[in-house]
Amino acid sequence: MKGVYIVGASGSIGTQTLDVIREYHNEFKVVGLSLGRDLIKAKQIIEEFKPEIICLREKKELDLSYKPIIVYGDEGLLKVASYHKFDKEVFVNALVGISGLMPTVVAINSKKDIALANKETLVVAGDIIKSLIKDKGVQLTPIDSEHSAILECLQGENKKDVKRLIITASGGSFRDKTREELIDVTKEMALAHPNWSMGSKITIDSATMMNKGFEVIEAHHLFDIPYNKIDTILHKESIVHSMVEYDDGVIKAAIGSADMHTPIAYALRYPKHEHITNKPLNLIGLNLHFEELSMDRYPCLEYAYYAVSRGGVYPAVLNASNEAAVWLFLNDRIKFLDIEKIIYDEIHNDKYESYDYSLDTIIKISNQIMNSIKERYEK
Ligand code: MG
């Protein structure tokens, strides 16, 4: 039996992870969960999986049929991450934002394998996380569909032979709009993503293409491939989840229906490919299209390459300015195109050159940047 901890368990990835656990209940036992503000949903999940430790966002009474340990807030997340029950344990991080960073760190230090859906962990602190993983001898597997696909395509291969990784992008909710048409788009329009159903933060990141920029940085860390050997391509059907091109011209692609249960099951049971209830892909009549993903159309993608090329804390600066800007957009304080302006200004600020690359500094400057950008647009 492997103990499972899921933070962000009531979100989109969290509930789909619980679906997979339900299917493999002979292999996995849920030990710890963190749940969001919807207490009715939280209670349903708790009563079904009966975890020993539960983290809630804020202090609330839950009328339960048994007595679990209940902890709260960011500190509670760390208690879930450090809890221990089984010899083998996996920590599924489905939190959104930099608040996902420290729970990953604590879970690694508690010798848990990591199944990672939280993008910010690797974007802001990739090198630190990688050396921790190595030190503690744990395994980190990606839950994102693109990275899961690349992991598939690298099986049995020598990384020396990789010419480039090709990450596919569906194009987000505004993919058919011109730059001019983006001036007055609303959050409601942005939140209607054509292919994937996701949380609001990631849906906006998909519309700006910052999500793809983060995925480039994550792939660079996950697979030890230089970022200049990682390309992106527009692929509206979301059937090819990503590709790896080798030096002899062979391109391996992982294809399948757009269903997150598949990468979640692969991350939890890597490298097994056994049956899982998902939408099967019908190949007959399938048409696949690929187009250039233009950095003029999607400047946030360019900013991600720029931030990772500057190195140090710049990916954290990129993330914090994006996190604040998306929050402002979702709260009706700025327009859609202001998001990229805010990020541009921050990543071109030379003062961050002098900051040391450490967890403390990354968290400190991230909070500083997020607060100062939000204050600037205070109503
Ligand atoms: Mg993705």
Side-chain angles (χ1 to χ4, degrees), residues 119 143-147 167-169 196 198 202 206 211-212 215 218 241-242 260:
K119 300 191 177 244
I143 282 184
D144 214 350
S145 61
E146 292 80 359
H147 304 99
I167 299 181
T168 52
W196 299 93
M198 308 173 285
I202 292 180
S206 298
N211 185 54
K212 215 43 60 180
E215 290 178 357
E218 285 181 276
H241 299 310
S242 277
M260 285 308 293

Side-chain angles (χ1 to χ4, degrees), residues 56-222:
L56 300 176
R57 295 279 272 274
E58 51 224 15
K59 276 211 161 93
K60 283 271 159 60
E61 285 303 315
L62 278 182
D63 182 25
L64 299 172
S65 66
Y66 72 111
K67 285 227 168 312
I69 301 166
I70 301 190
V71 292
Y72 303 94
D74 286 350
E75 229 166 273
L77 291 173
L78 304 185
K79 287 184 183 148
V80 172
S82 63
Y83 197 82
H84 182 76
K85 171 82 176 175
F86 291 95
D87 285 347
K88 287 191 166 180
E89 297 189 315
V90 60
F91 184 78
V92 180
N93 189 337
L95 296 171
V96 175
I98 194 166
S99 58
L101 173 60
M102 283 317 289
T104 308
V105 170
V106 171
I108 297 169
N109 283 331
S110 312
K111 299 251 182 165
K112 292 178 178 65
D113 288 334
I114 306 292
L116 192 63
N118 174 261
K119 300 191 177 244
E120 292 76 7
T121 294
L122 286 177
V123 169
V124 306
D127 288 325
I128 296 169
I129 296 295
K130 272 195 302 185
S131 75
L132 268 181
I133 291 275
K134 221 172 151 194
D135 277 2
K136 300 292 171 185
V138 299
Q139 174 180 276
L140 186 152
T141 47
I143 282 184
D144 214 350
S145 61
E146 292 80 359
H147 304 99
S148 185
I150 293 167
L151 186 62
E152 309 257 18
C153 296
L154 288 171
Q155 295 300 303
E157 304 288 354
N158 191 335
K159 272 186 208 161
K160 282 206 321 281
D161 302 335
V162 171
K163 188 173 176 195
R164 60 179 181 140
L165 308 182
I166 307 164
I167 299 181
T168 52
S170 66
S173 11
F174 299 143
R175 64 192 183 191
D176 299 320
K177 293 196 187 304
T178 62
R179 293 278 304 168
E180 288 67 42
E181 287 170 330
L182 291 178
I183 294 170
D184 288 315
V185 293
T186 62
K187 71 173 178 202
E188 288 74 20
M189 292 157 80
L191 292 176
H193 191 283
N195 299 18
W196 299 93
S197 87
M198 308 173 285
S200 53
K201 162 76 166 52
I202 292 180
T203 304
I204 304 301
D205 286 345
S206 298
T208 62
M209 212 48 80
M210 183 54 89
N211 185 54
K212 215 43 60 180
F214 285 164
E215 290 178 357
V216 168
I217 300 175
E218 285 181 276
H220 158 65
H221 290 300
L222 272 168

